[in-house]
Amino acid sequence: MGVITWRRQLSVGQPSIDEDHKHLIEYLNELDAALNSRSFMPVRVAKILMKLLEYTQQHFAREEKIMQAVHYPKFEEHVRQHHEAVRTLSELSAVFTRDPTHQNAERIYTFTADWLVHHIIMQDTQLTPYVRGVWV
């Protein structure tokens, strides 16, 4: 695991989406720090996960509202990907809740970090021509 750094390639060009992505990366970096601390504290990890899950759902709602406003042609597919990510993250979180081990927390981090960076680069950046300069 390692710290995720915001870089230009992750920018969608719409301020609220980019800010949301930066916050999500901050939460992932907090989770990474919790997983790499000297002593594993499941309560600390659980608090970070709650913030991450809540913020992810808020972000998806904001992003989807913007996509609707600009009539993004791949809206349905994009929303499906969001729903799948929330479902998987919720399932992994439920496993961690039942069995709060370091390994189960790492699974959440790995899935979320991989999914988020891949989704931003491969999917969200396709929004750029539609949302650049849009203030919703």
Side-chain angles (χ1 to χ4, degrees), residues 35-117:
L35 291 171
N36 288 310
S37 67
R38 285 183 184 228
S39 61
F40 177 68
M41 294 183 285
V43 172
R44 179 178 174 204
V45 170
K47 287 179 182 179
I48 296 167
L49 290 176
M50 291 297 293
K51 291 190 301 186
L52 178 63
L53 275 169
E54 184 178 304
Y55 200 86
T56 298
Q57 291 174 328
Q58 293 169 1
H59 162 64
F60 286 166
R62 281 189 289 272
E63 189 175 271
E64 291 166 10
K65 180 180 175 186
I66 292 169
M67 286 189 291
Q68 285 179 312
V70 299
H71 307 289
Y72 182 59
K74 297 179 183 177
F75 175 76
E76 286 85 15
E77 172 61 21
H78 205 104
V79 170
R80 185 188 63 73
Q81 291 176 14
H82 286 173
H83 287 231
E84 286 179 13
V86 168
R87 181 185 49 76
T88 301
L89 189 53
S90 295
E91 289 171 1
L92 290 169
S93 295
V95 170
F96 177 77
T97 300
R98 286 190 307 272
D99 186 17
T101 65
H102 192 274
Q103 183 179 15
N104 286 333
E106 281 182 343
R107 286 187 182 121
I108 294 168
Y109 176 86
T110 300
F111 166 77
T112 308
D114 289 347
W115 187 90
L116 180 65
V117 171

Side-chain angles (χ1 to χ4, degrees), residues 12-16 18 66 70 127-136:
V12 174
Q14 200 287 329
S16 64
D18 286 344
I66 292 169
V70 299
L127 296 168
T128 300
Y130 300 91
V131 301
R132 188 174 294 275
V134 172
W135 297 84
V136 176

